[in-house]
Amino acid sequence: MACLLETPIRMSVLSEVTASSRHYVDRLFDPDPQKVLQGVIDMKNAVIGNNKQKANLIVLGAVPRLLYLLQQETSSTELKTECAVVLGSLAMGTENNVKSLLDCHIIPALLQGLLSQDLKFIEACLRCLRTIFTSAVTPEELLYTDATVIPHLMALLGRSRYTQEYICQIFSHCCKAPDHQTILFNHGAVQNIAHLLTSVSYKVRMQALKCFSVLAFENPQVSMTLVNVLVDGELLPQIFVKMLQRDKPIEMQLTSAKCLTYMCRAGAIRTDDNCIVLKTLPCLVRMCSKERLLEERVEGAETLAYLIEPDVELQRIASITDHLIAMLADYFKYPSSVSAITDIKRLDHDLKHAHELRQAAFKLYASLGANDEDIRKKIIETENMMDRIVNGLSESSIKVRLAAVRCLHSLSRSVQQLRTSFQDHAVWKPLMKVLQNAPDEILVVASSMLCNLLLEFSPSKEPILESGAIELLCGLTQSENPALRVNGIWALMNMAFQAEQKIKADILRSLSTEQLFQLLSDSDLNVLMKTLGLLRNLLSTRPHIDKIMSTHGKQIMQAVTLILEGEHNIEVKEQTLCILANIADGTTAKELIMTNDDILQKIKYYMGHSHVKLQLAAMFCISNLIWNEEEGSQERQDKLRDIGIVDILHKLSQSPDTNLCDKAKTALQQYLA
């Protein structure tokens, strides 16, 4: 019986809750406008801080009625304003609340409200729009669908400090792509917002600063403009530098540092400028200290990683500033069991977000170690660092895994580390696991790192081969992602360098000649160049050349012909002629050239080419074909004389290029011997 009674009890509780909320909605339909206004005011007071009440009113259909009243010409301005305030309060509840408001087309109604002349109503509409646009569930595109909205918002910036704060906040949240930056820039965002940096209101200054950080990100046009903007006789970069001083709030310091970082990365400020070296970089290092809040440490480290990523000098300066490398090690011990956090809410938040610290540390280590051998050594010697990075490869968060792979990739550029730390920690094992099943963004970095682990001097090369790498890499060459095709073929090229015959045969078998042809006609130049590099490495050492050409000779000669006839650049044709020179070095393989008049004519053509690189590559082919000490050299020399090669050699022996001249003279001596 108890089970039967449970349902009606629940239903009665729900109906009671809904009934207690229903009278608020009913009053919105009262014929007396004063009672409607009072009803909206009472509703406003009832929903403040009460998410359950907000949800109930939405379920009961309050939103369409509030929007109707907001848009009615007969509604008083006071009523319209109170409606906008209630809608803003409802939007401050859960994400589901925001979705419900969006489904009722709240944004067009509020944007329409901005055409009013009443400032209080405009501010209420903007406050509500701010709350909606800063929600994760709101598509930022909704701000740009009507072309008249942005210029109107720009015009409203001058109305009050509240319009300035809310509009800047809307802009900074809705500027997520280059086309958004362009729209805002073209409508005068820089000029309209610059003077707000000197506002008496901290909130306005802060939101204006955030606007500039999103406008400048990876945008040379905006960044170059910002450098020359004057506000009260001071250039913007100087204002940003003042805002990142230690006595300013942390949020302001961080955002100013971001603005200067983005302007620097976009090429508007030099990397050796004092405002970067002496101000921005030290400020960002300060943000990494354990005294800062978790989100500040994350943002500081990630911004610093971005700032120093392309510049070796900044990497060196950062690495010796405030013991940064050791400071980052603390990112992995947070929150510790003896954490100083007494605020339970804060501790709960930090436990949930601790992975973001690890991700940020990996990113910064990757940037620090991108170029300098000593810095890489310091990073690896930091307590348990290799173990931490290897553990990062198997974390549940994709972002942490990606950052860990990037960090390892950066460190794998070191020959010394590949031979020592990478071998000691058997890094190749977790890496191969990552490569088995990962999203493309991780695969691209992981496969790029595998290329380094497969270099001839790397001790990891053998175990990687034994763990089925050839099939995995051949699979990558069939990816739709060109970066994965490049890395797959690049790793195979490294694998084939000075490899045993068996490995080369395995590569050719797994890759298949069909796939090889596919790669040689790939639209991506990098794929084509690396495929030619692979062929060149496969066709090295005589027994290997002869063996491969005896089984795949016809297809390889066909591929060489196609490339030499195609519209390719000098580097591609040079690589192809070098492959021919390798074939000409074979014992039996060279006959595939000598019996192919078309190829011989092509070699002759490139000997007389205007580009020295191609002439030299063609000369290598001829030298290998006519070398005296080899069987059949007399017949080959005679045939080549008959097609006019000797005449060309005489011409080339007079070449102003000493290298080409010497090669031609050496070749002619073979005829005289």
Side-chain angles (χ1 to χ4, degrees):
M1 286 298 287
C3 292
L4 292 172
L5 283 169
E6 268 185 21
T7 311
I9 287 171
R10 280 187 187 161
M11 283 174 68
S12 66
V13 170
L14 185 64
S15 58
E16 261 179 56
V17 171
T18 319
S20 70
S21 305
R22 182 168 291 285
H23 75 280
Y24 288 114
V25 180
D26 291 343
R27 288 166 70 190
L28 301 181
F29 293 89
D30 198 290
D32 181 348
Q34 264 320 107
K35 287 185 178 172
V36 173
L37 175 61
Q38 193 54 51
V40 175
I41 292 167
D42 291 346
M43 185 182 281
K44 174 181 73 175
N45 295 330
V47 296
I48 292 171
N50 189 333
N51 277 348
K52 191 178 274 187
Q53 186 69 279
K54 289 175 188 179
N56 288 339
L57 291 171
I58 289 170
V59 168
L60 291 166
V63 176
R65 184 62 184 171
L66 287 166
L67 286 172
Y68 172 79
L69 295 169
L70 181 116
Q71 294 173 93
Q72 273 299 94
E73 284 183 24
T74 53
S75 296
S76 67
T77 307
E78 191 183 358
L79 175 59
K80 288 181 179 181
T81 306
E82 291 294 349
C83 286
V85 171
V86 174
L87 288 163
S89 190
L90 295 176
M92 290 180 95
T94 63
E95 287 186 349
N96 281 335
N97 290 10
V98 178
K99 283 179 189 169
S100 301
L101 293 171
L102 290 172
D103 290 343
C104 293
H105 307 290
I106 188 170
I107 289 177
L110 291 169
L111 291 173
Q112 190 66 31
L114 299 181
L115 298 173
S116 163
Q117 294 305 305
D118 186 87
L119 182 58
K120 286 273 173 274
F121 179 45
I122 290 171
E123 288 174 350
C125 287
L126 282 172
R127 196 180 302 115
C128 185
L129 281 165
R130 181 270 312 265
T131 306
I132 289 167
F133 275 119
T134 53
S135 166
V137 297
T138 308
E140 54 273 0
E141 291 302 330
L142 293 174
L143 185 67
Y144 304 96
T145 39
D146 180 344
T148 64
V149 169
I150 301 296
H152 187 61
L153 288 172
M154 293 292 176
L156 289 174
L157 275 169
R159 293 295 299 272
S160 75
R161 71 184 183 89
Y162 294 113
T163 64
Q164 291 166 350
E165 179 192 337
Y166 303 148
I167 291 169
C168 285
Q169 203 170 353
I170 290 167
F171 286 163
S172 63
H173 272 272
C174 294
C175 186
K176 296 277 173 68
D179 53 332
H180 300 157
Q181 291 172 323
T182 304
I183 292 167
L184 293 172
F185 179 78
N186 289 344
H187 282 102
V190 173
Q191 295 75 11
N192 284 306
I193 296 170
H195 71 279
L196 302 182
L197 291 170
T198 57
S199 166
V200 293
S201 161
Y202 170 76
K203 285 183 176 178
V204 171
R205 293 200 304 278
M206 202 53 239
Q207 293 307 330
L209 198 54
K210 285 181 177 176
C211 265
F212 283 127
S213 78
V214 295
L215 283 168
F217 182 64
E218 292 185 348
N219 194 313
Q221 183 189 24
V222 174
S223 296
M224 293 293 186
T225 306
L226 291 180
V227 169
N228 300 309
V229 170
L230 279 167
V231 180
D232 294 349
E234 234 180 341
L235 287 167
L236 266 192
Q238 294 170 327
I239 293 173
F240 292 151
V241 167
K242 280 185 176 177
M243 288 177 147
L244 54 71
Q245 288 171 352
R246 289 170 187 261
D247 61 337
K248 296 290 185 286
I250 294 297
E251 180 189 29
M252 184 171 272
Q253 290 184 48
L254 249 177
T255 314
S256 306
K258 275 181 158 181
C259 290
L260 290 161
T261 294
Y262 298 160
M263 288 162 73
C264 178
R265 282 300 306 266
I269 301 176
R270 287 166 56 101
T271 54
D272 59 359
D273 191 297
N274 281 349
C275 77
I276 297 297
V277 179
L278 302 179
K279 301 292 182 181
T280 309
L281 187 148
C283 170
L284 289 169
V285 173
R286 282 201 307 275
M287 296 302 143
C288 299
S289 83
K290 56 183 169 196
E291 281 73 48
R292 302 267 55 88
L293 292 173
L294 179 142
E295 47 271 35
E296 293 161 359
R297 295 170 79 187
V298 169
E299 212 171 327
E302 292 194 340
T303 308
L304 183 56
Y306 183 66
L307 173 65
I308 68 174
E309 188 180 23
D311 191 273
V312 65
E313 198 45 45
L314 287 180
Q315 289 157 13
R316 288 184 183 135
I317 295 166
S319 73
I320 55 167
T321 304
D322 290 353
H323 309 288
L324 177 65
I325 290 173
M327 199 194 294
L328 285 176
D330 288 333
Y331 277 43
F332 297 92
K333 308 169 190 170
Y334 187 86
S336 66
S337 53
V338 290
S339 178
I341 303 170
T342 50
D343 179 346
I344 295 299
K345 259 190 174 176
R346 166 51 66 177
L347 185 60
D348 183 53
H349 168 273
D350 285 5
L351 285 166
K352 283 177 184 160
H353 293 268
H355 68 278
E356 291 175 20
L357 275 175
R358 296 192 292 277
Q359 177 194 334
F362 287 144
K363 278 185 182 176
L364 186 43
Y365 277 139
S367 283
L368 284 164
N371 296 288
D372 189 286
E373 192 62 42
D374 290 338
I375 298 174
R376 290 187 197 121
K377 192 167 181 288
K378 273 189 201 167
I379 293 169
I380 283 171
E381 286 172 358
T382 303
E383 47 180 320
N384 306 324
M385 196 44 66
M386 285 303 282
D387 289 333
R388 283 173 178 152
I389 303 171
V390 168
N391 290 341
L393 295 177
S394 55
E395 284 218 24
S396 56
S397 160
I398 284 186
K399 288 182 176 178
V400 177
R401 291 208 304 275
L402 179 59
V405 173
R406 282 206 173 118
C407 185
L408 270 179
H409 180 234
S410 179
L411 300 173
S412 75
R413 295 186 184 121
S414 160
V415 174
Q416 188 193 355
Q417 300 309 333
L418 282 175
R419 286 182 167 154
T420 54
S421 305
F422 276 67
Q423 188 59 14
D424 297 343
H425 291 82
V427 168
W428 65 271
K429 282 183 184 172
L431 184 70
M432 289 298 286
K433 201 173 172 185
V434 167
L435 283 161
Q436 303 298 333
N437 184 23
D440 271 15
E441 56 181 343
I442 290 180
L443 272 181
V444 168
V445 189
S447 56
S448 189
M449 186 184 150
L450 193 62
C451 293
N452 293 346
L453 291 180
L454 286 167
L455 289 165
E456 162 249 351
F457 52 75
S458 166
S460 306
K461 186 172 179 177
E462 287 302 317
I464 290 171
L465 276 167
E466 287 161 16
S467 67
I470 292 176
E471 289 78 8
L472 189 145
L473 294 168
C474 289
L476 289 184
T477 68
Q478 296 176 34
S479 168
E480 286 180 17
N481 185 330
L484 287 176
R485 293 202 299 279
V486 169
N487 289 348
I489 204 74
W490 194 340
L492 289 169
M493 181 185 89
N494 288 351
M495 196 183 274
F497 182 72
Q498 295 183 352
E500 299 166 14
Q501 170 63 41
K502 182 189 177 301
I503 292 168
K504 291 182 178 182
D506 285 348
I507 290 172
L508 273 170
R509 185 174 55 253
S510 291
L511 195 59
S512 82
T513 41
E514 293 79 25
Q515 180 59 10
L516 195 61
F517 267 95
Q518 196 75 39
L519 293 165
L520 288 169
S521 56
D522 201 288
S523 58
D524 189 291
L525 178 62
N526 285 329
V527 173
L528 173 56
M529 283 297 284
K530 294 291 177 260
T531 309
L532 291 170
L534 168 65
L535 264 179
R536 198 172 163 182
N537 286 351
L538 290 170
L539 295 165
S540 61
T541 72
R542 280 187 183 169
H544 296 180
I545 295 166
D546 291 334
K547 181 86 175 84
I548 289 169
M549 292 308 286
S550 69
T551 52
H552 297 84
K554 189 181 170 189
Q555 296 95 322
I556 289 171
M557 294 304 282
Q558 197 181 337
V560 165
T561 308
L562 281 171
I563 290 169
L564 291 177
E565 284 175 354
E567 294 290 318
H568 294 291
N569 67 23
I570 300 295
E571 283 70 26
V572 168
K573 297 208 168 180
E574 182 192 16
Q575 276 281 358
T576 310
L577 287 166
C578 289
I579 289 168
L580 267 184
N582 284 12
I583 295 168
D585 193 38
T587 306
T588 55
K590 52 171 56 87
E591 286 311 306
L592 285 162
I593 296 176
M594 292 307 300
T595 54
N596 189 326
D597 291 341
D598 186 21
I599 286 285
L600 289 174
Q601 286 302 323
K602 283 181 171 53
I603 295 171
K604 179 184 171 183
Y605 165 75
Y606 284 108
M607 284 177 77
H609 198 274
S610 58
H611 206 289
V612 175
K613 273 186 174 181
L614 297 182
Q615 289 179 290
L616 278 168
M619 277 293 310
F620 276 116
C621 296
I622 295 300
S623 299
N624 285 343
L625 290 171
I626 62 173
W627 206 251
N628 259 328
E629 294 161 18
E630 288 168 12
E631 198 180 328
S633 61
Q634 190 60 53
E635 291 85 347
R636 289 193 293 278
Q637 285 180 7
D638 293 344
K639 182 165 183 179
L640 292 171
R641 179 188 278 112
D642 292 345
I643 65 167
I645 296 293
V646 175
D647 297 338
I648 298 174
L649 287 173
H650 279 295
K651 272 186 201 168
L652 294 177
S653 66
Q654 308 300 313
S655 169
D657 185 278
T658 51
N659 207 353
L660 192 56
C661 172
D662 291 347
K663 290 277 183 293
K665 285 176 181 173
T666 306
L668 283 170
Q669 282 168 3
Q670 296 302 309
Y671 274 94
L672 300 171

